[in-house]
Amino acid sequence: MRRVHPEFAYQSRELGGQIEGILGDPPNRKNYQSMVNALVGEYASGGGIEDLNMLSFALVDHIEFNDPKGLLAASEEYEMGEPGAVFAMASCKGAEAEKMYAAIEESYPDLARQAIITAFLYKNPRLWDDEDQSLEQLGVNDDGDDVHDDDDVTDEFAQMFDQDGADNA
């Protein structure tokens, strides 16, 4: 199991929630497919919303991953990375999806890099480990030594707000 950047883990969970939300309960595949087709069409034409979730959503059903190990390695860095290398690790099938893939590489290379990795992580949850960021986990080794015991305001702090600069003691 490989650790991924916490933001990629978050975005992967968000993509799952978005897909479930669009599908609905009971699942409405026709509505879902209409949404995907509309997004693919928008991005293929060089437009589309500059949004990671929407771009990942447009990619997720059309993308194929040629280099899973490389994508896992790329998932360790959220902000920085080489878009061209990530684009080479995946591809899309179908005329409109291929057109979209080329257009997003041109229009939104950095965002598309993140969207490709997000779609990869969403489709391959067993390949990576999500770091536990829950309050319980974050507080495991907290011995409470950062608690300020003295609630009194210091003289220096109080004088910063004293209008006439006099000591009112």
Side-chain angles (χ1 to χ4, degrees):
M1 289 294 225
R2 181 174 227 149
R3 292 237 186 249
V4 301
H5 191 280
E7 186 64 23
F8 275 128
Y10 171 78
Q11 293 299 336
S12 177
R13 288 189 305 271
E14 284 291 304
L15 178 58
Q18 184 178 24
I19 289 171
E20 287 178 24
I22 299 287
L23 276 171
D25 188 26
N28 183 339
R29 286 259 173 229
K30 186 176 179 183
N31 183 44
Y32 174 83
Q33 199 58 51
S34 292
M35 179 73 164
V36 170
N37 290 342
L39 286 171
V40 169
E42 282 292 313
Y43 287 115
S45 69
I49 301 169
E50 193 171 341
D51 180 78
L52 179 60
N53 287 327
M54 294 305 230
L55 189 50
S56 299
F57 186 72
L59 285 169
V60 76
D61 289 337
H62 301 284
I63 197 162
E64 293 183 0
F65 307 107
N66 310 326
D67 184 0
K69 289 181 182 181
L71 287 165
L72 272 176
S75 72
E76 293 175 358
E77 180 59 49
Y78 185 76
E79 290 294 329
M80 306 301 286
E82 182 57 42
V86 171
F87 272 92
M89 294 179 206
S91 60
C92 283
K93 293 287 186 194
E96 193 74 4
E98 288 175 4
K99 188 176 174 184
M100 171 188 64
Y101 201 67
I104 63 173
E105 185 173 17
E106 177 82 19
S107 301
Y108 310 114
D110 292 320
L111 183 68
R113 175 194 152 277
Q114 293 171 339
I116 291 166
I117 295 170
T118 298
F120 169 75
L121 294 174
Y122 170 75
K123 291 181 88 170
N124 297 284
R126 293 192 172 137
L127 296 179
W128 57 280
D129 191 22
D130 191 2
E131 188 174 327
D132 188 358
Q133 293 287 322
S134 67
L135 289 176
E136 294 81 25
Q137 180 61 32
L138 293 173
V140 165
N141 293 323
D142 186 11
D143 59 3
D145 62 348
D146 58 347
V147 175
H148 185 47
D149 295 332
D150 186 18
D151 289 334
D152 295 333
V153 176
T154 64
D155 288 337
E156 290 174 16
F157 184 76
Q159 288 177 359
M160 285 182 4
F161 298 101
D162 189 2
Q163 298 252 340
D164 54 25
D167 189 16
N168 294 335

